[in-house]
Amino acid sequence: MAATQLTSSPVTVSARSFASLDGLRASSAIKFGTLKPGTLKQSQFRSLVVRAASVVAPKYTSIKPLGDRVLVKIKEAEEKTMGGILLPSTAQSKPQGGEVIAVGEGRTIGKTKINITIPTGAQIIYSKYAGTEVEFNDVKHLILKEDDIVGLLETEDIKDLKPLNDRVFIKVAEAEEKTAGGLLLTETTKEKPSIGTVIAVGPGTLDEEGKVQPLSISTGSTVLYSKYAGNDFKGKDGSNYIALRASDVMAILS
């Protein structure tokens, strides 16, 4: 069989499709070098084409998540900065929020049936790399486990996030402006703080019998947390926030 000639355009593969490659952001793309005409056969080329999301055929009219999974309509990426500047598609931050469209029947722990308490229509924030993207009716959705939902967003400001399960929501302390010797620091040299004030906590974790065990961390506490844990957010007032699991809080400061 004769080799199929290919045009010399770059091939882009979404990093979300490479689950085994740790450390890559889902919004990143891996670019393979320019292909010279005649260097690949058509069968070889197919193996390089990877879709970012599974596409549901138009003949299907609904998606019903199973177990403790939730179907979420993904929020559109921001096209402008807070100052009104248009962003190119490469600079638009990947959304971490959306609207709950459907929920599963829940799960069973021991002999206890645990229903999903998140209602349809709720606006949620979810873990950055959670779930599987599905394109349904030309709209991007996400199917993820209930435990991957960080919290409920009842207003348009992230500072009002209501954390779920074992999540803790923290207002990050301001970075130091000067060194111990009094030298001013630039934005690029300021060390990212891993200290903050707890402003909201989730209801707690479930034990082996399905009963909620409250968290030992309370609102108002100043805590030291793991530096690379959780999801970072910026509020409308410019303050930095982070949502992480209680197990990523290492100490309470006083």
Side-chain angles (χ1 to χ4, degrees):
M1 181 182 295
T4 302
Q5 299 293 318
L6 302 177
T7 58
S8 56
S9 58
V11 179
T12 303
V13 181
S14 172
R16 175 179 286 276
S17 305
F18 285 80
S20 61
L21 297 180
D22 294 333
L24 289 177
R25 293 184 178 273
S27 59
S28 303
I30 303 172
K31 289 191 175 181
F32 290 88
T34 301
L35 301 178
K36 295 181 179 179
T39 56
L40 289 178
K41 294 182 179 181
Q42 188 172 14
S43 60
Q44 294 172 313
F45 179 72
R46 287 196 192 100
S47 65
L48 294 178
V49 179
V50 182
R51 304 190 73 91
S54 300
V55 179
V56 178
K59 65 180 181 179
Y60 300 106
T61 58
S62 67
I63 299 177
K64 172 62 178 176
L66 298 178
D68 60 344
R69 290 179 173 82
V70 176
L71 177 66
V72 177
K73 180 181 177 182
I74 299 176
K75 180 181 177 181
E76 294 292 332
E78 294 292 338
E79 296 184 355
K80 293 183 179 181
T81 65
M82 295 179 65
I85 300 174
L86 286 173
L87 295 172
S89 59
T90 54
Q92 292 172 16
S93 59
K94 182 190 174 189
Q96 296 178 41
E99 179 185 351
V100 175
I101 302 300
V103 300
E105 66 274 13
R107 55 180 170 147
T108 300
I109 299 179
K111 296 182 180 180
T112 305
K113 177 68 180 299
I114 307 297
N115 294 320
I116 295 177
T117 58
I118 302 171
T120 56
Q123 298 294 322
I124 64 164
I125 299 294
Y126 50 80
S127 295
K128 191 177 298 184
Y129 305 116
T132 300
E133 284 190 9
V134 177
E135 189 173 314
F136 180 59
N137 290 337
D138 296 324
V139 178
K140 287 186 178 180
H141 293 73
L142 194 69
I143 298 179
L144 71 165
K145 287 182 175 291
E146 182 189 18
D147 187 55
D148 288 322
I149 297 176
V150 174
L152 301 176
L153 195 57
E154 298 176 344
T155 72
E156 294 184 356
D157 198 337
I158 192 64
K159 72 178 179 61
D160 298 320
L161 179 72
K162 180 182 178 182
L164 298 179
N165 303 319
D166 62 339
R167 297 312 203 290
V168 179
F169 193 50
I170 297 170
K171 182 177 182 180
V172 179
E174 295 292 333
E176 293 293 335
E177 300 283 344
K178 295 181 180 181
T179 65
L183 295 176
L184 287 173
L185 296 172
T186 63
E187 289 296 329
T188 55
T189 57
K190 290 178 184 177
E191 184 178 357
K192 177 185 174 183
S194 53
I195 296 175
T197 302
V198 177
I199 60 174
V201 298
T205 57
L206 297 177
D207 62 17
E208 295 179 354
E209 297 179 353
K211 297 180 180 179
V212 176
Q213 298 298 317
L215 302 178
S216 59
I217 303 169
S218 58
T219 57
S221 300
T222 300
V223 297
L224 177 68
Y225 56 86
S226 182
K227 192 169 185 178
Y228 301 105
N231 294 342
D232 299 304
F233 304 98
K234 185 174 286 291
K236 289 188 174 182
D237 61 353
S239 298
N240 293 311
Y241 298 87
I242 187 168
L244 39 74
R245 293 188 183 275
S247 58
D248 289 318
V249 176
M250 299 184 291
I252 296 177
L253 306 177
S254 60

